[in-house]
Amino acid sequence: MTPVNETLGQYSELFMLLAALTYTVSFIAFAADLVRARKVTTAPAEPAQEPELAAAGTMGTVQWTHGSGAGKANDHKDAVVDDSMGYKALRRPAARIGVAVGILGLVVHAAGVVTRGMAAHRVPWGNMYEFTTTGAMLVMAVFLTALLFRDLRFLGTFITGLVLVMLMAGAIAFPTPVAQLIPALQSYWLIIHVSVAVLSAAIFTLTFALSVLQLAKTRQEKRGKPRTAGLLRLVPSPVSLEQLAYRLNAIGFILWTFTLMAGAIWAEAAWGRYWGWDTKEVWTFVIWVVYAGYLHARATRGWDGTRAAWLSIIGYLCVIFNFAVVNVYFPGLHSYSGL
Amino acid sequence: MTTTKPPSGKTSLEDVALPRLGPAGMLRWAWRQLTSMKTALQLLLLLAVAAVPGSLFPQRPANPAVVTQYIQDNPGTGPWLDRFQLFDVYSSVWFSAIYLLLFISLIGCVIPRAVQHWKALRSQPPRTPRRLSRLPEYGTMTVAAGTALTPDRAIEDAARILRQRGYRVQLGDTGTDLPSVAAERGYLKEAGNLVFHTAMIGVLVSIAVGGMFGYRGQKLIIEGEGFTNAEPGYDSFFPGTSFNPGALVPFSLTLNNFDVTFDRNPASYGNPIDFTADMTVQDSPSDAPRQETLRVNEPIGFGGTNVYLIGNGYAPEITVRDGEGNIALQGPVASLPTDATYNSTIVIKAPDARPDQLGFVGFFLPTAMVDENGVAFGSDPDPYNPQLNLNSYTGDLGLDDGNPVSVYQLDTTELTQLNGRDLPDGGIVLGAYQTYELPDGKGSITFEGLKRYVALDIVYDPGKAGALVFTTLALLGLIITLTTARRRVWIRAGQHEDGRTMIEYGLLARGEDHSLAKEAIRIGSALTAHWNKANDQNRQATP
Ligand code: HEM
């Protein structure tokens, strides 16, 4: 076996540190954006641009008009965000800086993760330190990718803040030198199972944030405060938050189902049984059932809305518990946290 | 959002509060409650909660010894926890009740839905509603007068375009003033959902099949030794409830050599990085022997029965001579590692020793060092300075009274101790190739050499393939159901008095659908583009 490359390992740690510093700048920028949005007045009352729906019109001999059904366009007069998360002419320079610096941070972060893997000649997810740093990278990557489809910059503070916490936790709570894998982890299932697990956890991170904001926004509306006030001003309506959370949770659930299956196949190869209720397996199962419950709740009268949001939050708390508490404190076959 | 309820769960509590239900009515009521979406959700959440205690308390199937210890350490709460089956959570009455109810509910839910879907698959899309403008997506088109587009032509064109987009279409009211087309797509959504839920039942059945007809056994094999697959050869053997001994494949294997590599990088010194067992195996006594390598994550298979490398350790080779000078025991004795440095406990029993039986209990250290207090400790998992530290006993070892006794335990309460740290003769400390003479001429013990052993799990699970097939089906069904949208489209055409052709369309989603508006725009664009092009061509053709 090729010995580990320690110089490269040190470079990796340096990259992680630089990434953390960059994310700090991004975090501050996103926070400034939220604070600033409380005061800024909306641009002149131009009608909201609905990019997709502007397709109708007269062409040649055919005249076409299209309308989305009643009750959809419930945009508040001074709301800065409509229900499809399109922002009206609102200049948000701080948010732009946040995104740009965040991308830079992600590049440096990725360099840190890749050099770690190269130093050890394997995928960089073999112990708690590596789960945390790679996981943080995926959280950031999923967030920035989601920005291509929806303007979720209102989540920037939460995401960059969480990524910073993860990087710090990796460096302080789980420092682990670059090392080769113990035999139990030497399997291509490590590549498949763990990468998909970490990716779905990253997606659940996003939906967790959306669900929390959904609850906050619902409360704000119930209290009768105008939904345009306060730090939540940039946050869209509970309904659109819930819908986006649902779509992401559905993707996350598919990936988690795959994680569960791949884990079972690996367990079969390693221990001769595909399911044995090991603590880690128990929690993976619990998470799966909670999100299955969430998907059901969305289709059950009386359980959508706030209750479904709670299930999404509970599911994510289980993910965190599974990762941070079960890996470290619970004895079991999966005891390779490297601590 | 749109709310879906299973057809069987049409009834909600209010509807059911009918006077005088009668026993049959009660049963029907209970069945409807059980198969309702709300009950399914509650049972799912209950299942999640019920699974948790199994990770908080030690579980018998995984670790019976730890459970026994736990009950001893907690005499107050332990027996109570045991009474509520908290050490056997996953086979407990309450856990089983939850998942069985859930699966009964699932069956009661899936069957009527499958029947309904089967009918839906063979029926036509529902007729065009009178007021399309009430639908969530609605639009109109006006085609200028003087084009050749009659309402019937328009509907035919629309039907063709919808069909191209994957819709199943049904023309209606053709030949009347207001012909229309009804279209539906996304039947796969419901099909995927049904496949997913049905596959869940398949997974459960597969697990049950494995538990009934399979077996699992454990065997420890020292280098140079072999094993033939038969029930008496196992150290421990757990057959399924309906296990048939004929299912034991008659393979055999011999462990030639076991190699271990430890990490010598200073930062991670002593971690294992490779375990390799060289085996000679035979599928059956009549087959030719072949060489195989057994490693962690890479089991050896014998037609459905797999052999897994689960553990390993050291087996010091010991010779015990008794008080009469005869060899009472000779050969390797497996020691049990207690930590990552392979500091191991060892029990040596020499029941053939005369005049008195001899027993030894102590530690094996692969690389012994002595700390400042003179206590030996192990410092490396490789055998750089192997050492045995033993206490010795004499008397009746209790092996002859027929009770099964673990080879790794020696009950010393009835024995006379000869050696020990507190005794005048001290404990026995044996380096490699050394011999120690027991006090009072009771005999001697020699540390002759060192071998390694592997701990194997041998498993036959006939439900495994089914579980894989059904989970794969479940995953596919899930992907399909969560990524397809079920939509209905209706388009109606008519002619205005002034000769213009008027077209209106409406879309409706069934279930979650976030891109219905996009689909409406796409259909609208396709129709507009089509008629524009057709009109242009017409104009050119008829100057
Ligand atoms: C083993 C227990 C169950 C699990 C793990 C489970 C899981 C799921 C999941 C993941 C979904 C969303 C994906 C899809 O639409 O296929 C779903 C949907 C659904 N399930 Fe289940 N389910 C279970 C039991 C049940 C039972 C007992 C019922 C009937 C009472 C039921 C009725 C439904 C229905 C009607 C949907 C469609 C919801 C929609 O339209 O979005 N499920 N289930």
Side-chain angles (χ1 to χ4, degrees):
Chain A
M1 292 206 177
T2 348
V4 301
N5 183 337
E6 280 169 38
T7 327
L8 216 51
Q10 282 159 4
Y11 273 117
S12 166
E13 281 174 23
L14 182 65
F15 280 132
M16 297 291 184
L17 180 66
L18 287 175
L21 292 175
T22 321
Y23 287 144
T24 311
V25 176
S26 173
F27 174 80
I28 293 171
F30 279 123
D33 175 49
L34 282 191
V35 173
R36 192 173 159 276
R38 287 159 62 204
K39 305 193 200 97
V40 114
T41 48
T42 24
E46 280 171 48
Q49 284 259 318
E50 296 217 17
E52 312 150 348
L53 303 189
T58 315
M59 287 165 62
T61 49
V62 184
Q63 197 187 3
W64 170 29
T65 55
H66 178 85
S68 284
K72 273 203 97 183
N74 53 353
D75 286 350
H76 196 280
K77 201 162 73 12
D78 322 307
V80 289
V81 49
D82 66 24
D83 284 340
S84 48
M85 298 189 194
Y87 287 79
K88 295 177 188 169
L90 179 66
R91 286 177 36 115
R92 294 168 65 190
R96 286 183 173 209
I97 294 173
V99 174
V101 177
I103 293 173
L104 180 67
L106 181 63
V107 171
V108 180
H109 192 165
V113 169
V114 170
T115 43
R116 175 90 183 182
M118 283 162 60
H121 310 287
R122 59 175 169 80
V123 290
W125 48 82
N127 53 50
M128 282 300 276
Y129 173 80
E130 292 168 1
F131 299 149
T132 327
T133 47
T134 306
M137 180 185 79
L138 280 180
V139 168
M140 196 65 195
V142 166
F143 171 64
L144 290 176
T145 311
L147 286 184
L148 296 176
F149 302 97
R150 287 290 178 91
D151 190 352
L152 297 179
R153 289 179 297 175
F154 61 90
L155 289 179
T157 4
F158 170 79
I159 296 290
T160 47
L162 182 82
V163 166
L164 273 172
V165 169
M166 286 174 81
L167 283 180
M168 279 192 278
I172 295 166
F174 316 123
T176 317
V178 184
Q180 296 183 358
L181 291 174
I182 59 170
L185 290 183
Q186 293 168 14
S187 162
Y188 55 89
W189 286 108
L190 173 75
I191 306 172
I192 302 171
H193 168 70
V194 180
S195 59
V196 178
V198 176
L199 178 62
S200 33
I203 292 176
F204 288 144
T205 304
L206 217 58
T207 59
F208 165 75
L210 291 171
S211 299
V212 169
L213 287 176
Q214 180 194 332
L215 292 183
K217 200 81 181 174
T218 309
R219 258 189 74 189
Q220 198 189 41
E221 286 188 358
K222 273 220 187 90
R223 287 227 210 100
K225 275 200 196 162
R227 59 184 258 200
T228 51
L231 281 175
L232 294 181
R233 180 152 184 224
L234 288 175
V235 179
S237 75
V239 175
S240 48
L241 287 170
E242 183 182 351
Q243 276 180 4
L244 184 63
Y246 171 77
R247 295 174 76 176
L248 288 172
N249 268 336
I251 299 172
F253 183 76
I254 291 175
L255 294 175
W256 195 257
T257 308
F258 181 78
T259 303
L260 195 79
M261 279 179 62
I265 296 172
W266 187 7
E268 197 279 326
W271 304 315
R273 87 286 182 296
Y274 54 87
W275 198 261
W277 298 108
D278 183 61
T279 40
K280 194 82 189 175
E281 292 168 352
V282 170
W283 280 94
T284 304
F285 174 79
V286 168
I287 292 163
W288 188 77
V289 174
V290 170
Y291 280 103
Y294 166 87
L295 292 180
H296 266 221
R298 291 271 302 149
T300 308
R301 200 160 291 160
W303 274 82
D304 48 345
T306 308
R307 284 194 192 178
W310 274 111
L311 284 179
S312 163
I313 291 169
I314 291 171
Y316 186 68
L317 295 182
C318 291
V319 171
I320 295 292
F321 186 82
N322 188 25
F323 174 71
V325 181
V326 176
N327 276 6
V328 180
Y329 296 106
F330 284 40
L333 290 170
H334 288 77
S335 302
Y336 32 61
S337 52
L339 295 177
Chain B
M1 65 156 285
T2 325
T3 306
T4 321
K5 290 213 294 178
S8 57
K10 282 197 272 293
T11 343
S12 67
L13 267 172
E14 307 91 77
D15 307 335
V16 187
L18 298 170
R20 278 189 292 125
L21 278 170
M26 286 290 280
L27 267 178
R28 196 173 310 130
W29 178 81
W31 177 248
R32 284 198 178 151
Q33 287 307 304
L34 181 61
T35 56
S36 79
M37 200 65 186
K38 205 177 213 163
T39 311
L41 172 58
Q42 284 160 351
L43 285 172
L44 266 175
L45 297 181
L46 208 55
L47 185 69
V49 174
V52 172
S55 72
L56 305 178
F57 302 107
Q59 295 296 298
R60 273 212 183 83
N63 225 329
V66 178
V67 174
T68 313
Q69 190 64 43
Y70 186 96
I71 298 179
Q72 271 170 17
D73 295 348
N74 301 279
T77 51
W80 277 101
L81 294 173
D82 203 13
R83 213 157 293 160
F84 289 107
Q85 299 176 300
L86 285 160
F87 302 117
D88 301 278
V89 166
Y90 306 105
S91 53
S92 68
V93 176
W94 43 274
F95 191 78
S96 313
I98 295 171
Y99 77 75
L100 287 178
L101 276 178
L102 183 58
F103 274 85
I104 293 171
S105 168
L106 184 57
I107 293 168
C109 177
V110 162
I111 292 175
R113 280 176 58 200
V115 170
Q116 212 201 17
H117 190 59
W118 176 249
K119 285 186 190 145
L121 276 180
R122 290 181 311 159
S123 60
Q124 296 302 335
R127 289 175 55 88
T128 312
R130 194 161 320 147
R131 293 255 232 123
L132 290 181
S133 55
R134 290 220 180 125
L135 295 174
E137 296 297 327
Y138 174 75
T140 56
M141 281 162 202
T142 316
V143 182
T147 59
L149 191 71
T150 64
D152 274 339
R153 266 294 296 284
I155 288 304
E156 274 163 32
D157 290 351
R160 201 179 56 249
I161 285 171
L162 286 174
R163 220 180 278 121
Q164 279 164 4
R165 298 188 62 81
Y167 284 84
R168 175 187 295 185
V169 300
Q170 166 77 359
L171 297 180
D173 308 316
T174 35
T176 68
D177 287 348
L178 293 172
S180 68
V181 57
E184 179 159 4
R185 63 162 294 168
Y187 293 85
L188 269 180
K189 187 179 184 64
E190 180 72 359
N193 180 301
L194 290 171
V195 166
F196 170 81
H197 285 89
T198 313
M200 286 289 110
I201 304 173
V203 173
L204 193 71
V205 170
S206 305
I207 294 173
V209 166
M212 284 167 72
F213 301 105
Y215 69 85
R216 157 184 288 266
Q218 275 138 12
K219 179 64 187 171
L220 189 150
I221 301 179
I222 298 171
E223 283 171 318
E225 293 185 351
F227 168 75
T228 302
N229 191 25
E231 206 175 319
Y234 281 96
D235 298 335
S236 52
F237 188 77
F238 308 97
T241 46
S242 312
F243 172 70
N244 164 16
L248 286 169
V249 205
F251 70 84
S252 60
L253 47 80
T254 306
L255 177 65
N256 305 321
N257 184 35
F258 183 61
D259 265 335
V260 181
T261 314
F262 295 102
D263 202 340
R264 294 303 170 201
N265 181 29
S268 43
Y269 196 84
N271 284 345
I273 46 180
D274 189 41
F275 298 133
T276 306
D278 281 330
M279 300 260 190
T280 304
V281 306
Q282 269 177 293
D283 290 321
S284 76
S286 54
D287 283 312
R290 62 173 203 273
Q291 297 302 311
E292 286 270 6
T293 311
L294 176 65
R295 311 183 66 205
V296 181
N297 283 318
E298 292 170 26
I300 303 180
F302 298 95
T305 303
N306 283 354
V307 176
Y308 300 86
L309 178 56
I310 296 296
N312 65 82
Y314 286 104
E317 295 179 81
I318 306 288
T319 300
V320 175
R321 288 192 167 75
D322 65 12
E324 297 173 357
N326 298 320
I327 292 181
L329 173 85
Q330 188 161 40
V333 178
S335 64
L336 297 180
T338 57
D339 60 21
T341 1
Y342 284 75
N343 295 325
S344 312
T345 56
I346 187 166
V347 168
I348 303 164
K349 300 181 193 179
D352 296 337
R354 299 289 176 271
D356 296 307
Q357 296 182 339
L358 294 172
F360 304 83
V361 179
F363 297 100
F364 167 74
L365 309 175
T367 300
M369 309 266 269
V370 177
D371 70 10
E372 55 268 31
N373 303 323
V375 178
F377 69 99
S379 61
D380 196 286
D382 266 329
Y384 293 129
N385 180 28
Q387 191 181 79
L388 283 163
N389 289 258
L390 302 170
N391 294 344
S392 65
Y393 300 86
T394 179
D396 180 3
L397 299 185
L399 299 177
D400 307 322
D401 54 9
N403 290 335
V405 182
S406 162
V407 292
Y408 305 108
Q409 278 167 0
L410 181 63
D411 182 2
T412 57
T413 45
E414 305 286 307
L415 300 175
T416 314
Q417 188 167 7
L418 296 174
N419 290 93
R421 288 231 296 155
D422 314 328
L423 295 186
D425 289 306
I428 303 172
V429 179
L430 273 185
Y433 312 120
Q434 290 179 343
T435 298
Y436 178 88
E437 297 289 339
L438 297 172
D440 309 334
K442 293 280 183 192
S444 68
I445 179 167
T446 311
F447 183 7
E448 307 265 12
L450 191 60
K451 288 190 164 175
R452 293 183 195 266
Y453 69 82
V454 294
L456 304 181
D457 267 14
I458 298 166
V459 184
Y460 169 61
D461 181 350
K464 202 164 68 179
L468 181 63
V469 168
F470 285 116
T471 40
T472 309
L473 277 176
L475 185 63
L476 289 178
L478 191 67
I479 293 174
I480 289 172
T481 190
L482 288 177
T483 52
T484 47
R486 185 146 182 203
R487 302 173 167 143
R488 288 178 176 167
V489 181
W490 292 278
I491 302 179
R492 180 161 28 224
Q495 194 114 39
H496 203 269
E497 291 152 5
D498 59 14
R500 286 178 300 165
T501 307
M502 318 289 287
I503 292 122
E504 62 173 349
Y505 62 84
L507 277 81
L508 178 67
R510 301 188 67 197
E512 295 278 349
D513 189 351
H514 314 276
S515 34
L516 192 67
K518 270 191 202 139
E519 175 75 356
I521 297 299
R522 281 198 211 104
I523 290 175
S525 318
L527 291 174
T528 314
H530 175 75
W531 286 322
N532 266 326
K533 209 169 120 208
N535 294 342
D536 284 352
Q537 282 166 356
N538 266 344
R539 214 169 296 148
Q540 279 154 13
T542 51

